[in-house]
Amino acid sequence: MKKLLRSGFGIALVALSLASCSSSDDNNGGTTTPTKPNEIKGTVKKGEKLSLDGTKVYNLTGKLVVEEGGTLTIPAGTTIIGTGGTSAYIAVAQGGQIFVEGTKDKPVVMTAAEKKRGSWGGLVICGRAPINKGETATAEVSDLTYGGKVANDNSGSIKFLRIEYSGANYNSEKEFNGLSLFGVGSGTTIQYVQAHEGSDDGFEWFGGTVSAQYLVSSNNDDDQFDWTEGWNGQENAFWFSKQSGTADKGFEADNNAKNRNADPTSNPTIKGITLLPAVDGKGTAMKLREGTKGKMFDVVIGDYETAFDVEHDETITNVNNGTLLVSNVKLISTKTKATKGKNTKGDTVDVSKVFTAGENKGAGNGTATPDWAKGWTVGL
């Protein structure tokens, strides 16, 4: 099979080809016949190019993995409906590429048949950029290898994508996010992406160097944005989050839980952030711990109980030497506690240097929905 789909071929070929090359995990070693119209799952192998049809609605009934040398293109207007909990997800392996070509008027939508958080996995991308868990590691979801020495690794391009009702979990320590980025390199483009109503984090970075602009994280059960393992994206801009229900923190930022001085150190740069709480007067906007560094500018924080919660000696050292700083911060409510801090022993410490106050519009319109987020997002 030289190609999974060529221009002019029908959707039946997509469904049959993908099902027939599914792994033994999905079909017990035999050929699978599609059970739903426009069913997709299986493997895009080296040299193969799968291009979906933007006028179609696809049923993702198992894992769809883009292997090294394979390409998946999803044009504007495409809808993909996931069913099957942890068994249904899209993953891009090292050396594979995904091209999501949505537009403001016709975003690509990855959603679920049941409009319930955790109904399917999510989108997972694994690259060859540096991490601090070792030179390489195995992703906690998808079991693919990630990490390496290629800082500018290119896993493709994602524009105008909405991911809904994702975050299926195997257990409390092994969960999908909306968009999971494992060692993804700076050659990858990520712009205009919403993670909505997921059961874990909206976005999570596990090391890597990729940056992202124009992100919306809304009503996800756990953190809206999360990073760890030495993430170093330097051109991040315009992130907006709005929480509801049982949502946890706006940011959860770590370096490495087992070695807080691990190199490379998590040290992103992000400009233009708005974080809004699930319930006024409750929750934490930014949890900064495990030795993370970072520079964040032009931040609007709604009425959380705590704006900045800083933990561990290494993180506090970064605050004091200025390598962890959130500057030009507008706190919406005077009820908000600016900071709280604890060292590794659990003693209360002063971490007031973690931020500087100022006036700005955060992700674009202060606490209101940014203009750039209108027209292609939902739930705001």
Side-chain angles (χ1 to χ4, degrees):
M1 184 171 61
K2 301 277 177 153
K3 294 198 182 275
L4 293 178
L5 180 67
R6 292 176 181 170
S7 177
F9 278 60
I11 183 61
L13 179 59
V14 178
L16 289 169
S17 298
L18 284 168
S20 67
C21 67
S22 296
S23 71
S24 59
D25 290 341
D26 290 327
N27 58 26
N28 296 317
T31 299
T32 299
T33 299
T35 58
K36 293 185 177 183
N38 302 343
E39 183 178 13
I40 56 171
K41 62 180 179 179
T43 305
V44 183
K45 297 183 179 294
K46 185 175 183 178
E48 296 176 342
K49 296 181 179 181
L50 172 60
S51 296
L52 302 185
D53 183 337
T55 67
K56 303 292 185 181
V57 175
Y58 294 86
N59 289 291
L60 179 71
T61 57
K63 63 183 180 182
L64 175 59
V65 179
V66 184
E67 293 186 342
E68 180 175 7
T71 300
L72 171 62
T73 300
I74 309 177
T78 306
T79 297
I80 298 172
I81 299 175
T83 56
T86 57
S87 67
Y89 60 90
I90 298 174
V92 181
Q94 290 182 318
Q97 289 189 310
I98 184 171
F99 296 93
V100 176
E101 300 175 339
T103 65
K104 182 177 181 178
D105 295 330
K106 293 182 178 181
V108 170
V109 179
M110 298 179 181
T111 187
E114 184 179 9
K115 305 306 182 185
K116 179 181 177 182
R117 298 174 186 176
S119 293
W120 68 293
L123 177 58
V124 178
I125 303 178
C126 297
R128 291 195 172 99
I131 61 175
N132 66 22
K133 197 176 180 179
E135 183 170 327
T136 62
T138 300
E140 65 181 26
V141 289
S142 78
D143 294 325
L144 295 172
T145 299
Y146 69 101
K149 298 181 179 180
V150 187
N152 65 346
D153 194 36
N154 185 348
S155 296
S157 174
I158 298 174
K159 293 184 178 181
F160 289 102
L161 168 65
R162 195 166 74 236
I163 304 170
E164 304 173 347
Y165 309 106
S166 62
N169 67 84
Y170 298 93
N171 55 56
S172 61
E173 301 300 319
K174 188 176 181 180
E175 301 166 301
F176 284 92
N177 305 294
L179 178 58
S180 301
L181 300 163
F182 291 89
V184 178
S186 61
T188 308
T189 298
I190 300 174
Q191 296 178 338
Y192 301 99
V193 181
Q194 180 183 20
H196 180 64
E197 294 280 357
S199 68
D200 196 45
D201 301 329
F203 299 85
E204 185 163 7
W205 291 258
F206 298 83
T209 54
V210 67
S211 295
Q213 301 86 35
Y214 306 105
L215 301 185
V216 175
S217 189
S218 51
N219 304 345
N220 297 291
D221 267 350
D222 198 13
D223 311 310
Q224 305 309 300
F225 302 99
D226 192 332
W227 70 73
T228 187
E229 296 182 16
W231 176 52
N232 268 275
Q234 295 301 304
E235 297 180 1
N236 303 283
F238 303 112
W239 292 10
F240 181 85
S241 82
K242 188 175 183 179
Q243 300 174 232
S244 71
T246 60
D248 196 5
K249 295 171 282 292
F251 277 21
E252 183 173 272
D254 298 346
N255 183 41
N256 186 302
K258 294 184 177 180
N259 176 8
R260 297 182 191 124
N261 289 314
D263 185 63
T265 303
S266 293
N267 191 17
T269 300
I270 311 167
K271 183 174 183 180
I273 302 165
T274 294
L275 303 177
L276 304 179
V279 180
D280 285 351
K282 293 187 177 182
T284 299
M286 291 190 183
K287 180 80 166 184
L288 308 169
R289 63 183 189 180
E290 305 288 7
T292 190
K293 299 178 181 179
K295 295 291 179 65
M296 288 153 270
F297 306 89
D298 302 343
V299 179
V300 170
I301 292 178
D303 185 14
Y304 287 87
E305 179 181 359
T306 303
F308 305 100
D309 185 353
V310 183
E311 283 190 1
H312 305 124
D313 294 346
E314 296 84 354
T315 324
I316 293 164
T317 295
N318 297 336
V319 168
N320 290 332
N321 66 24
T323 56
L324 175 59
L325 177 63
V326 188
S327 62
N328 199 23
V329 176
K330 182 177 181 179
L331 300 179
I332 296 303
S333 174
T334 56
K335 293 185 295 183
T336 303
K337 297 177 184 176
T339 62
K340 70 178 181 181
K342 287 187 177 181
N343 62 20
T344 302
K345 291 181 180 180
D347 300 328
T348 299
V349 294
D350 179 10
V351 293
S352 57
K353 290 182 179 180
V354 73
F355 86 104
T356 63
E359 289 292 328
N360 69 90
K361 295 184 178 180
N365 286 343
T367 59
T369 300
D371 290 342
W372 55 261
K374 296 175 181 177
W376 60 277
T377 60
V378 294
L380 301 181

